[in-house]
Amino acid sequence: MELYRTLGHIEDILLSNQYEFINLSLGPDLPIDDDEVHPWTSLIDSYLADGNTFMTVAAGNNGERDKLAGLCRIQVPSDCVNAIAVGASDRIGDDWSRADYSAVGPGRSPGRIKPDLVAFGGSVKEYFHIPSDVYPSQLVPTCGTSFASPYLLRMAAGIRAILGDQVSILGIKSLLVHTAQQNSQSSNEVGWGKVP
């Protein structure tokens, strides 16, 4: 029941205003299933259908779970067709690879390439640093797709800040996909690649 109560709160927020950029770094701890579309995915895809909002969704941190059972696949609602599912890379530099914990694809049809993109999310090799909740002046090391997703959203907002309204939301998505580097990794692991 908590899943649906939380989804109701998200729906209220989405309907309260027209947002241009949104990040969602939470959702049910459920890998996607090819047979049915989860209510979280359905609601978010419906909201994004007009093409006026750029949304990133964390792909999930279940990448080390059982591959044969499909437990490492992207999590709900990162299977949205109209959102960008974001996985995590283990490093910032050119020698990056998919972070071990980052969920993998494929997505369900028609969005088979999932996660769409990856961005730096940290790993034991190179942590993502955030302000401490106890001592805000200090940084603490962490990692997760929940950090990679807003990191990529920041890049999308930067494109809008530079190019203005001359580039559409779809244009921003296209620019990010076009500049992504796959580093010879499978699209099931990193989608279209890592955004530079």
Side-chain angles (χ1 to χ4, degrees):
M1 291 304 295
E2 287 295 320
L3 291 175
Y4 295 100
R5 188 178 348 198
T6 303
L7 184 59
H9 290 307
I10 291 171
E11 182 178 25
D12 291 343
I13 291 167
L14 292 177
L15 296 176
S16 70
N17 200 346
Q18 177 61 46
Y19 298 98
E20 191 171 11
F21 295 95
I22 301 174
N23 176 68
L24 188 62
S25 287
L26 60 91
D29 187 13
L30 299 169
I32 65 161
D33 183 9
D34 290 320
D35 295 337
E36 67 180 65
V37 176
H38 195 276
W40 277 63
T41 301
S42 178
L43 175 88
I44 292 168
D45 252 343
S46 296
Y47 175 79
L48 299 174
D50 64 6
N52 295 324
T53 302
F54 185 99
M55 179 183 249
T56 53
V57 180
N61 298 325
N62 55 323
E64 296 177 294
R65 293 187 187 162
D66 188 350
K67 190 170 191 163
L68 291 175
L71 300 177
C72 63
R73 283 180 76 182
I74 60 167
Q75 293 188 333
V76 172
S78 64
D79 57 328
C80 288
V81 174
N82 297 314
I84 298 289
V86 182
S89 70
D90 62 349
R91 295 178 192 251
I92 293 175
D94 291 337
D95 59 341
W96 65 273
S97 62
R98 178 185 67 87
D100 294 338
Y101 59 82
S102 185
V104 299
R108 83 169 44 106
S109 184
R112 299 295 291 169
I113 302 291
K114 293 285 181 178
D116 294 285
L117 296 164
V118 295
F120 177 65
S123 69
V124 294
K125 298 174 186 171
E126 188 175 348
Y127 284 104
F128 196 101
H129 289 86
I130 61 170
S132 167
D133 57 346
V134 178
Y135 303 105
S137 62
Q138 295 180 359
L139 296 177
V140 293
T142 190
C143 54
T145 59
S146 292
F147 304 108
S149 186
Y151 191 60
L152 192 140
L153 182 71
R154 180 175 175 252
M155 293 176 210
I159 292 170
R160 173 51 55 87
I162 292 168
L163 299 177
D165 291 337
Q166 297 175 7
V167 63
S168 66
I169 296 298
L170 183 58
I172 293 171
K173 289 180 184 179
S174 299
L175 287 170
L176 290 169
V177 168
H178 180 71
T179 59
Q181 302 160 345
Q182 229 176 6
N183 254 12
S184 302
Q185 296 186 53
S186 163
S187 61
N188 279 347
E189 302 240 336
V190 298
W192 298 108
K194 179 179 175 277
V195 176

